[in-house]
Amino acid sequence: MTGEDPGPLIRLFGLTGGRARPQGEAFDLVAIVTTVGAGSGSHEPPDLIPEHREVLSLCRAPTPVADVAAHLRLPLNITRVILGDLRREGLITIERPRPAAQTIDERIYREVLHGLRSL
């Protein structure tokens, strides 16, 4: 034994039960996580670990996966496993962000076109 503390590695292994990938559909860094039934905390299972509770609290407002990982101060793959578990339990949704073309209002396109024509 070298005397080095393997504590964080063992803790991460325990958080995920040794899993390195989330179950279910894959999601990326910019996917948006939202707590289901964001207004009530009464339907949470009593056996949630602190990281699960933190995610549920943080994601009451839509939050990107990357921000969840940063807030938890956990590696991305560990965060994805935690999010996958919460999604499987029906406590969060994870949605792909809409492409930028779908988020810009048609009115903005018309104003830009009008502005270009007036040049």
Side-chain angles (χ1 to χ4, degrees), residues 31-48:
I32 304 298
V33 182
T34 308
T35 302
V36 173
S40 66
S42 60
H43 70 285
E44 292 178 6
D47 59 344
L48 292 178

Side-chain angles (χ1 to χ4, degrees), residues 65-109:
V65 170
D67 290 354
V68 174
H71 180 81
L72 294 176
R73 295 182 160 177
L74 291 173
L76 183 59
N77 63 329
I78 303 297
T79 301
R80 283 182 170 151
V81 171
I82 288 171
L83 293 175
D85 292 346
L86 290 170
R87 177 177 59 185
R88 187 183 68 242
E89 295 296 322
L91 298 173
I92 62 168
T93 60
I94 303 172
E95 299 177 4
R96 295 178 184 182
R98 291 187 294 170
Q102 292 179 2
T103 60
I104 298 176
D105 188 357
E106 186 178 328
R107 180 184 51 83
I108 294 173
Y109 284 126

